[in-house]
Amino acid sequence: MGEEVTAQSYTREQRQQYREKVRQNLDVFERMLSQSVFEFDRPMTGLEIELNLVDDDYQPKFANAEVLEAIADPGYQTELAQYNIELNVPPRPLPGDSAIQLEDELRASLNAASTAAEKRGAHIVAVGILPTIMPKHFEGEWISANNRYTALNDSIFYARGEDIYLDIEGPTGERVATYCNSIAPESACTSVQLHLQVAPQDFAAHWNAAQALVAPQIALAANSPFFFGQRLHAETRIELFSQATDTRSIELKNQGVRPRVFFGERWITSIFDLFEENVRYFPALLAEVSDEDPVAKLEAGEAPSLSELRLHNGTVYRWNRPIYDIVNGTPHLRVENRVLPAGPTLVDTLANAAFYYGVIRKLASDDRPIWSKMSFAAAEQNFRDAARDGIESRLYWPGFGEVRAEELVLRHLLPMAHEGLAEWGVSAAVRDRYLSVIEGRCTTSTNGATWQTDAVARLQASGMDRQSALAEMLRHYAKNMHSNEPVHTWPLP
């Protein structure tokens, strides 16, 4: 959800004060990186899952306040739109059988949440973009009752000065081209965020490795092929999120001003590089100023919260975001991986996580790391191609040249994932359970995006129109989701 704010709009004076405080925070953070002790006793991981609410007809259900009241679990929170909720999973160590225990706990939690939601006439669905969402659904009251979201919406449009234009074309020529007078389409993008706590001296290697890995991640996990009734990219969420939060007018784009949904532009040598870029390139959207004196707190031997720097960081949407946080008075650093869509099942979600944590371990510790052999521009092009074409994409990889994503995974990255997880101390049972799911997707060329696309094509071939086919597909999808069988094994309707 991001940190709450108290105001919905800010004066020019508040924005100026906020900029000065952010720059002070950045100076203090630089000192901390050279002076302070950061928490890193064992590899801790975290997980956030964004979810959709639908009614009995599998149309979006704008009722998250009532559903959250019924769920009555602090782990579930609001998200941008009233048909979104988010599940935050407490951090836990990676080794041993932790992932299997987590799966059991998450299934119990989601089953209880689903039962509670159904009492309020809603069903929970984990999918990258809700296939039945249409422009008409945003004509009424859609935004969640949360100051942060209203302030973000207003600030983005204040910065942009005009309506947002969405223009996304799919591989068969289907296209969405429309103006939007709010950031409502952003709410269609529901994702899974993976967190990995790292030591300061290891952050750059892990972030660089994560940037190189995003393309295979997306190719394997794509689950967002439909938006506003059109079949667009395999992982349309990537382009939709980029356009729906763009604060730049056409003229600013033409000048080369950087977008707030930012892949980046270079490999880094320190986490400071990312925070410094944020401060240098991106104006404030939310300008909340705290009373904290970070210099005094640091000199008193305490970890400052750096709330202005953290708030600013939360409004620059990197696909691998740097995180500074404090737990029990001790600071730590995390890489937040944000490229994955939600769904289709918990076992698929945890398979995606296992693949990521295993491969990043190997890539980050390589004697001749991948970022010394691949240009940053090539990594970004891989990212774009994977989002467009999914599991059928062709990616560039050093030593392989241009290769099908599934072949790259099977021949090279999947063995690395096994080795990396073993080095983390993850049990053989966990490795076998979740990485076999990744192997199955590759050998069948099936992920959430291909299943959704094929299911809708079959339903339309049987005589349904597109809207009816999307709703019926989503009904089958939800049933299969609750089975917790991996998506590559799902039958087509």
Side-chain angles (χ1 to χ4, degrees), residues 185-488:
E186 181 196 339
S187 69
C189 305
T190 42
S191 64
V192 166
Q193 290 113 49
L194 303 177
H195 292 254
L196 178 63
Q197 186 175 319
V198 295
Q201 66 272 18
D202 297 329
F203 186 92
H206 283 83
W207 187 86
N208 290 342
Q211 288 288 98
L213 188 56
V214 291
Q217 281 185 279
I218 294 169
L220 286 170
N223 193 31
S224 312
F226 292 100
F227 176 62
F228 281 0
Q230 304 299 306
R231 195 327 188 162
L232 303 175
H233 297 177
E235 189 49 38
T236 305
R237 185 181 55 89
I238 299 296
E239 188 61 28
L240 176 59
F241 188 77
S242 300
Q243 295 187 21
T245 55
D246 200 342
T247 58
R248 303 169 302 165
S249 64
I250 292 173
E251 292 80 8
L252 291 178
K253 289 182 187 179
N254 292 339
Q255 292 173 35
V257 172
R258 292 162 180 83
R260 292 195 88 94
V261 179
F262 192 38
F263 184 81
E265 54 193 19
R266 62 190 173 103
W267 306 117
I268 65 168
T269 58
S270 165
I271 187 175
F272 184 78
D273 295 350
L274 301 177
F275 280 103
E276 192 275 334
E277 278 184 353
N278 287 356
V279 174
R280 181 153 43 104
Y281 293 150
F282 301 105
L285 290 181
L286 307 175
E288 296 274 320
V289 178
S290 72
D291 295 329
E292 179 185 72
D293 182 343
V295 175
K297 203 160 187 180
L298 181 63
E299 292 178 349
E302 299 178 55
S305 68
L306 305 182
S307 59
E308 290 83 6
L309 187 68
R310 291 162 64 191
L311 179 61
H312 185 55
N313 184 51
T315 63
V316 179
Y317 303 103
R318 295 179 184 271
W319 296 106
N320 284 295
R321 178 185 275 165
I323 301 290
Y324 166 84
D325 207 352
I326 300 172
V327 175
N328 298 324
T330 303
H332 71 261
L333 306 177
R334 304 195 304 270
V335 178
E336 181 190 21
N337 179 258
R338 300 161 48 83
V339 301
L340 292 170
T345 63
L346 279 178
V347 72
D348 284 303
T349 297
L350 292 174
N352 294 336
F355 176 78
Y356 169 75
Y357 290 127
V359 177
I360 200 174
R361 167 81 180 218
K362 296 299 292 181
L363 290 178
S365 61
D366 199 337
D367 289 337
R368 191 179 171 213
I370 189 169
W371 53 95
S372 70
K373 299 179 284 185
M374 180 165 68
S375 71
F376 197 85
E380 183 170 10
Q381 187 60 53
N382 279 349
F383 168 69
R384 305 293 173 196
D385 292 345
R388 185 189 64 233
D389 299 327
I391 205 163
E392 298 175 351
S393 59
R394 296 185 66 84
L395 308 176
Y396 169 76
W397 203 264
F400 289 83
E402 190 176 283
V403 62
R404 287 264 298 200
E406 54 206 352
E407 182 182 353
L408 174 65
V409 172
L410 286 172
R411 290 176 54 192
H412 184 54
L413 298 180
L414 198 56
M416 288 178 67
H418 274 282
E419 291 178 25
L421 290 176
E423 290 177 11
W424 281 123
V426 173
S427 71
V430 168
R431 302 196 306 268
D432 291 344
R433 174 163 176 74
Y434 299 117
L435 295 183
S436 66
V437 172
I438 301 298
E439 181 179 8
R441 285 193 217 147
C442 291
T443 56
T444 61
S445 296
T446 301
N447 58 16
T450 63
W451 186 90
Q452 288 190 55
T453 301
D454 291 346
V456 168
R458 283 172 65 107
L459 291 166
Q460 285 191 260
S462 72
M464 286 188 177
D465 61 32
R466 173 62 64 83
Q467 297 305 313
S468 299
L470 287 169
E472 180 64 9
M473 177 274 287
L474 190 58
R475 185 180 70 80
H476 285 273
Y477 179 104
K479 180 181 177 181
N480 289 322
M481 182 191 78
H482 287 293
S483 75
N484 202 37
E485 294 297 325
V487 69
H488 71 272

